Amino acid sequence: MKENFKDINILVIGDSCTDVFIYGHTFRLAPEGPAPVLNPIQEKSNGGMALNVCANINAIGAKCKLVTQEENIFKTRYVDERTNSLLIRVDTNDKATRISQDLVNSIKNNFYDGVHYDALVISDYCKGFLKESDITTIARNNKNIFLDTKKILDDWCLDCDYIKINHIEFEKTKHTICRLNLYEKLIITHSDKGCEYRSLMHPVERVNCKDMSGAGDTFMSGLVCEWVRSKDINRAINFAQDCATKVVQKLGVCTI
């Protein structure tokens, strides 16, 4: 598979973090309150959010450059190993310094730092790195923009080519989608039901899902890589779903 994507170059812009998973055993509740007692047995960590998008793009075989904040955000998940049940997630240093305006303005015509990119992925987790106006500027100055955001959609995203949201996010921002006629840009994921694009449902293979963490990042990585390769968005959606299906069968935040 990697050979098919080796000439593709993607620029990813967005918030990043370190995902930490602490797995352990829980056999009892704490006597001082109704909380499970976790006995840790192993810890795993990897890059998350925009870093996970980059890791998956690289795993597919394409080249990738990341523009992200300097601060390191930590998402620490405490998980019962026997049931893979999430007990609690602790987010540390959960804010990012905003991207500099000079840097935003330097990304033009799909060039950044002297390198040309086939497409740009904006991976916006709303930690403060990207404001709406930053996304507007990047989208207006470049082409082949793939947006994944936790923000309520509005006219600031009109110049993005494709916008990936899940069905929960869709319901939250449906009022602006209708007002601005954004529906044709949307790729709406529906978990195990598949993916919707322009009223066409792309079904997905039913598998034993162990962990949904990071699956959206993997989907976006597969989507942009296959779209650059084939210029066929429906084919790209199917490939993205195949990629996401692989990672949800693994524990933690994984690459394909």
Side-chain angles (χ1 to χ4, degrees), residues 10-16 48-54 57 64-68 99 103-104 107 110 117-151 153 156-165 169 216-217 219-221 223-225:
I10 308 295
L11 180 64
V12 176
I13 308 166
D15 323 81
S16 62
M49 301 195 302
L51 271 168
N52 189 38
V53 176
C54 283
I57 289 172
C64 183
K65 172 74 174 179
L66 175 63
V67 176
T68 191
I99 188 173
L103 199 159
V104 168
I107 305 171
N110 287 56
Y117 294 90
D118 299 296
L120 280 65
V121 173
I122 299 175
S123 183
D124 173 35
Y125 275 81
C126 289
K127 302 300 182 183
F129 185 63
L130 291 167
K131 302 295 185 184
E132 287 88 344
S133 59
D134 302 322
I135 297 173
T136 298
T137 301
I138 293 168
R140 284 179 178 171
N141 289 341
N142 300 275
K143 62 180 182 178
N144 304 337
I145 305 295
F146 289 72
L147 172 65
D148 186 0
T149 182
K150 304 302 179 188
K151 292 179 172 62
L153 302 180
W156 54 268
C157 64
L158 285 173
D159 290 309
C160 295
D161 297 282
Y162 297 103
I163 303 171
K164 184 198 81 68
I165 60 175
E169 295 163 345
D217 299 329
F219 181 96
M220 177 59 89
S221 303
L223 182 76
V224 66
C225 286

Side-chain angles (χ1 to χ4, degrees), residues 38-55:
L38 179 73
N39 299 120
I41 56 174
Q42 65 171 324
E43 179 177 321
K44 297 179 180 179
S45 63
N46 52 265
M49 301 195 302
L51 271 168
N52 189 38
V53 176
C54 283

